[in-house]
Amino acid sequence: MVEWITTDGLTDYDEAVAFMEARADAIHKGEADECIWLVEHPPLYTAGTSAKIEDLTEPDRFPVYTSKRGGQYTYHGPGQRVAYVMLDVGKRGHDVRRFVQDLERWVIATLEQFNIKGEIREGRVGVWVQRDDKPLTITGAPAEDKIAAIGIRLRKWVSFHGLSINVEPDLSHFDGIVPCGITEHGVTSLVDLGLPVQMADVDIALRNTFESSVTPRK
């Protein structure tokens, strides 16, 4: 059984990490159910375990938190739905790569609820959308923007951290970093793509697509 928690307002990042660590430990001990926690944060940057300091281009713009999740620099802020996943990866096959692929599939299925085609790109973390409304890149390829980020950590085969989907954040806030180390592509959101989507709509879509995307395996 997975408990779903939705927190209104803006959640302090350190408090979120403390909650996730405690819940992951309780799940490992069999003292708590698995949990999906939906939050928004005040504007901040986080540095994953692969972050390069040169990718933090405006270090004084927002608070910067060192995170033990995988990945590089990312932004969190109002208008972005963060879904923290405290799940037993052990009962999902003891396969971290496949678990991350499940999360990617979950994001893509969620975007499909709004007729948005999300895609995975080799060598690029997260979920991307092709922008046929933008000029071709310098290589002649279609422009692509990132709409969702994924970064997790495991402790005793229980995951925490998770994913974020851009619903209607201030996209200029991403300018202070090189998001996930990618310089040749941009960042977008559901609203930026022209969809009048609200956070509650995304929450419903996440719930509707979770079971078919992130399922236990024997």
Side-chain angles (χ1 to χ4, degrees), residues 87-136:
L87 300 173
D88 187 343
V89 180
K91 73 179 184 183
R92 289 175 166 78
H94 285 95
D95 188 328
V96 179
R97 181 181 179 87
R98 187 168 64 182
F99 179 69
V100 172
Q101 291 172 341
D102 285 348
L103 296 180
E104 292 171 341
R105 186 162 49 247
W106 184 26
V107 172
I108 290 170
T110 298
L111 296 175
E112 284 177 351
Q113 301 287 298
F114 306 103
N115 295 315
I116 296 295
K117 183 180 181 182
E119 298 180 287
I120 305 303
R121 291 290 181 261
E122 187 68 29
R124 284 193 251 146
V125 180
V127 178
W128 300 77
V129 293
Q130 185 170 304
R131 299 300 301 270
D132 295 329
D133 57 324
K134 289 188 173 184
L136 298 177

Side-chain angles (χ1 to χ4, degrees), residues 30-49:
E31 298 172 352
D33 291 328
E34 295 179 301
C35 179
I36 304 292
W37 187 21
L38 305 178
V39 305
E40 289 178 82
H41 288 302
L44 59 92
Y45 298 130
T46 66
T49 54

